[in-house]
Amino acid sequence: MSNRTADLDLTGATEAFCARLSAEGRSPATIAAYRRDLALVARVAGELAPGIVCRAVTAGLLDKVFSAGPVTESERGPRSAASLHRMKAAVRAFFAWASEAGVVDDNPARSIRMQRLPRKLPVFLTAAEKKRLLKELKGRTDFSALRDRAMIEVLLGTGIRLGELAALDMDDIDLDAKHLRVRAKGNVPQVKFIKTDLRTLLRRYLAERRRHGRPEMEALFLSNRDGRLCQRQIANRLAHWLRKAGIEKELTPHGLRHTFATHLYGATNDLLVVQRALGHRDVSTTQIYTHLVDGQLEEALERL
């Protein structure tokens, strides 16, 4: 082990770790989350043991880091179970890499135990709410509303993630082949089927898009200034239309992915179909939608 590698502090090692994640194709959002959590760990560790380097970190020090009280202005009380769980996962992944890369002699995070968190049921639109939202959008004729309707119906009709939607280019849509191409988690290419009514809407949108947007712009969904719509702008547009439709749920664009999956499972009763549609590697990730539909069944039975 070189002295330079052995003497890396937590901040420098975090940047090297994030560079490795980037080279592996991990998403920018995932890398940013690791960087935030590890920066917090480095800050607390540095307060407990000033000037500490990676190879001097012990399991006991990590225990003190995890049990430390609020250390930022945004933290007003004990950390939530979810944030502590996420921080422990980041530390385990970081020191597994550090051990493999020779940054540390021994992995101090090996003994960290992760408790399984209770899974929260996701927020989604009921069939009636979905119908109300789309009715509100269909009643508009301006280009911005047509663009927003196309974005929302793509999310509802394919189940793709917000980041995948924002990254779509004109060349990713092939209406004749009935599919769109997305770059999913880990930069893995996936092809999504586009149903008939969504293809009709996208043809109409693309015709208007060519009239309104600059030809050299690759982005499928453009802002009013002819730039690519960012994820926050898309989320804001969804919130705008939910308010217009009188839907008071706190629903993010990811909630439309949950809506897609819930309704697909309700229509097919086939978890493997939903797994393939969402691109989940493990069917256990998809199992939550069985609970959602079971809940709907219980409500329906109560109304008999």
Side-chain angles (χ1 to χ4, degrees):
M1 184 191 309
S2 70
N3 289 336
R4 181 179 178 184
T5 301
D7 292 336
L8 270 177
D9 62 12
L10 286 166
T11 300
T14 293
E15 288 309 308
F17 173 62
C18 289
R20 170 68 177 272
L21 293 178
S22 180
E24 291 175 350
R26 303 294 290 273
S27 75
T30 297
I31 295 171
Y34 273 116
R35 184 178 278 113
R36 278 195 305 272
D37 285 333
L38 292 172
L40 183 58
V41 169
R43 178 176 173 180
V44 179
E47 291 175 357
L48 294 170
I52 192 166
V53 294
C54 282
R55 63 185 171 87
V57 174
T58 64
L61 178 61
L62 291 178
D63 287 340
K64 291 178 181 178
V65 169
F66 294 135
S67 61
V71 293
T72 65
E73 292 180 2
S74 61
E75 290 186 303
R76 298 183 179 180
R79 296 191 191 97
S80 68
S83 64
L84 191 59
H85 185 275
R86 193 188 62 236
M87 187 185 299
K88 286 183 176 180
V91 168
R92 288 213 317 183
F94 169 75
F95 277 107
W97 162 83
S99 179
E100 179 185 326
V103 176
V104 296
D105 300 320
D106 189 41
N107 183 350
R110 186 181 294 109
S111 60
I112 292 176
R113 294 291 175 261
M114 307 283 289
Q115 291 186 340
R116 191 174 185 87
L117 294 175
R119 183 173 287 181
K120 291 183 179 179
L121 293 180
V123 180
F124 65 97
L125 295 176
T126 64
E129 289 168 336
K130 177 180 171 181
K131 185 176 180 180
R132 210 157 86 216
L133 174 61
L134 296 182
K135 183 179 179 181
E136 182 67 34
L137 283 157
K138 289 173 184 175
R140 311 288 175 150
T141 57
D142 58 290
F143 175 71
S144 293
L146 176 62
R147 176 204 62 202
D148 294 350
R149 179 186 168 193
M151 292 191 301
I152 289 170
E153 291 213 32
V154 166
L155 291 172
L156 285 170
T158 65
I160 64 173
R161 298 177 178 86
L162 173 59
E164 296 163 2
L165 179 82
L168 284 175
D169 290 334
M170 294 284 282
D171 291 342
D172 292 326
I173 299 285
D174 190 336
L175 296 178
D176 292 330
K178 304 179 184 180
H179 70 234
L180 62 82
R181 292 181 298 273
V182 298
R183 288 163 289 282
K185 277 188 174 181
N187 207 27
V188 177
Q190 291 182 357
V191 174
K192 303 292 183 180
F193 172 74
I194 310 174
K195 59 183 182 177
T196 303
D197 57 348
L198 182 52
R199 292 200 304 274
T200 300
L201 172 62
L202 286 171
R203 279 197 176 91
R204 181 180 161 201
Y205 168 71
L206 288 171
E208 291 296 317
R209 157 77 173 75
R210 292 184 184 97
R211 280 196 282 272
H212 282 78
R214 300 199 306 269
E216 71 275 13
M217 288 299 296
E218 295 181 344
L220 178 62
F221 295 113
L222 298 177
S223 70
N224 293 337
R225 297 184 178 181
D226 283 342
R228 183 186 297 274
L229 274 174
C230 70
Q231 295 185 35
R232 178 173 292 182
Q233 288 171 313
I234 296 171
N236 288 341
R237 296 310 298 160
L238 172 61
H240 167 79
W241 290 112
L242 289 170
R243 288 193 300 269
K244 286 283 187 182
I247 299 171
E248 297 181 357
K249 284 182 176 176
E250 292 291 329
L251 190 85
T252 66
H254 202 72
L256 299 187
R257 177 173 166 87
H258 293 315
T259 302
F260 164 81
T262 304
H263 293 180
L264 180 59
Y265 182 74
T268 64
N269 203 34
D270 190 331
L271 203 58
L272 294 180
V273 168
V274 181
Q275 179 191 9
R276 291 202 304 274
L278 293 177
H280 286 164
R281 294 181 181 178
D282 190 338
V283 74
S284 65
T285 310
T286 319
Q287 284 176 337
I288 192 168
Y289 298 108
T290 64
H291 303 307
L292 291 172
V293 175
D294 287 346
Q296 290 178 320
L297 175 60
E298 289 170 7
E299 292 176 10
L301 291 172
E302 287 286 357
R303 292 195 295 269
L304 285 178

